[in-house]
Amino acid sequence: MAAEAAGEWQGWRAAAEAALYGPDGFYRRPEGPAGHFRTSVHASPLFAQAVARLLCRVDEALGRPAELGFVDMAAGRGELAAGVLAALPAEVAARARGYAVEITERPEGLHHRIEWLAEPPKGITGLLFANEWLDNVPVEVAEVDSAGEARRVLVREDGRERLGEPVSGAEAGWLARWWPLPAEEGARAEIGLPRDEAWATAVATVERGLAVAVDYAHTRDARPPFGTLTGFREGRATAPVPDGSCDITAHVALDACLDACALPGGRLLTQRDALRTLGISGARPSLAMASTQPTAYVRALASAGEAAELTAAGGLGDFRWLLQPVGVADVLAD
């Protein structure tokens, strides 16, 4: 009976897809992502303010179009989209149109200017922003067996794993190019091909402007030897069990996503550098201000603490930003 309850063996991609986005999936739960983990969006309103400044830079690069789109991928409950629109200068806000892309139903009370969609709109002029979206695009997991061959990892609903067939075809080609595994038993990789395809598809919806993906990431010169697949529940890391009870996530090979777009001008940088360029530094206010403007000093000190969290080494500051301009110059260039 226990074996039957655990379900059939399947690859991690199908298992995570059902566990996250199926009828009873984790991302359909009423509490939303904020009930289980803290993203930059939830850490501080400064993040939305920085993205609003980025949208303003895109607006300038586009020549101030009559309609300026802002697309929030994996929008949660619309927190970022709402925060960005609220932080825009009045002249830009009058032309801005927000789109929140999410699988759940539209939350009550969301501003009427934000359109709620299951897929990103096509042909936008503006900014597409994907904060911690790609890490939840499910992927297959590969593991090297005792003979040194990479095999697909199969999993049941209770989280137990076993090795399946050898990795082949396009997946084998992706591993060879982007995450070559040593012939050492137990070495693991997440095969990021679905994320490359998802990102290229999202970027293709931007007619002119900028697409940005923000995530924990790694590059080919520093892949983790045993992969990064993990779960999150109620603010804590846990075993990745694909039963709908927890988030299932893995860091993103953003260098492969960048290459998949085949567009000029794309690049990677840290969140720390991106936010500092957008005016979020974490610098503490002058101590002299405490005696001359005590209320303003307390506010500035709190803001500095929030900025420090967003840019912290070993934390949110280590996130990578993938910038992909589409028909415009790099708006974050020094």
Side-chain angles (χ1 to χ4, degrees):
M1 294 295 292
E4 292 179 4
E8 297 181 357
W9 294 103
Q10 56 185 332
W12 264 107
R13 184 181 182 187
E17 184 75 33
L20 295 177
Y21 307 117
D24 299 315
F26 178 81
Y27 277 98
R28 297 189 184 276
R29 294 170 62 157
E31 69 270 20
H36 294 272
F37 47 84
R38 182 178 173 87
T39 72
S40 297
V41 176
H42 308 120
S44 170
L46 293 176
F47 189 76
Q49 293 167 22
V51 177
R53 292 188 196 114
L54 178 60
L55 181 57
C56 288
R57 291 192 180 199
V58 173
D59 183 47
E60 287 288 333
L62 290 168
R64 299 177 181 174
E67 182 173 297
L68 178 68
F70 175 70
V71 181
D72 180 13
M73 297 292 295
R77 297 300 180 263
E79 300 96 332
L80 180 60
V84 168
L85 292 184
L88 291 173
E91 189 279 325
V92 180
R95 294 180 287 107
R97 183 173 180 180
Y99 303 89
V101 181
E102 188 54 87
I103 64 165
T104 58
E105 296 296 322
R106 181 187 182 94
E108 294 184 7
L110 186 65
H111 198 288
H112 65 86
R113 291 172 56 205
I114 300 171
E115 189 171 348
W116 195 260
L117 302 170
E119 299 287 342
K122 291 181 171 60
I124 73 146
T125 298
L127 172 62
L128 180 144
F129 201 87
N131 186 63
E132 295 196 52
W133 168 52
L134 289 172
D135 67 309
N136 286 130
V137 173
V139 294
E140 299 291 359
V141 177
E143 182 175 321
V144 177
D145 65 14
S146 58
E149 185 169 24
R151 292 181 174 272
R152 183 177 295 185
V153 177
L154 305 181
V155 65
R156 299 178 82 162
E157 195 175 85
D158 62 2
R160 286 183 294 169
E161 294 180 338
R162 70 175 175 88
L163 298 187
E165 69 281 2
V167 177
S168 61
E171 293 179 341
W174 190 94
L175 278 180
R177 181 178 182 189
W178 293 110
W179 198 329
L181 285 167
E184 298 176 7
E185 185 176 7
R188 286 170 67 117
E190 292 101 31
I191 305 174
L193 188 59
R195 293 169 173 178
D196 297 355
E197 295 168 347
W199 178 242
T201 298
V203 172
T205 66
V206 180
E207 185 172 318
R208 289 183 65 230
L210 178 68
V212 180
V214 183
D215 248 307
Y216 275 124
H218 44 65
T219 53
R220 193 179 186 280
D221 58 347
R223 303 286 190 220
F226 303 107
T228 62
L229 186 71
T230 191
F232 277 94
R233 183 189 298 114
E234 297 177 356
R236 296 184 179 184
T238 185
V241 178
D243 61 0
S245 68
C246 67
D247 186 25
I248 297 173
T249 180
H251 296 189
V252 184
L254 278 181
D255 49 349
C257 294
L258 175 62
D259 184 81
C261 284
L263 290 174
R267 66 184 177 110
L268 298 174
L269 69 164
T270 65
Q271 174 156 299
R272 183 179 311 107
D273 290 340
L275 290 184
R276 285 175 178 170
T277 302
L278 294 167
I280 306 297
S281 69
R284 293 168 64 91
S286 168
L287 189 59
M289 187 180 179
S291 57
T292 59
Q293 299 174 279
T295 302
Y297 175 77
V298 170
R299 286 199 300 266
L301 193 63
S303 180
E306 293 175 5
E309 180 181 3
L310 290 172
T311 58
L316 295 175
D318 289 344
F319 269 65
R320 295 291 184 92
W321 284 38
L322 190 170
L323 305 179
Q324 182 57 67
V326 182
V328 298
D330 185 346
V331 298
L332 282 185
D334 293 335

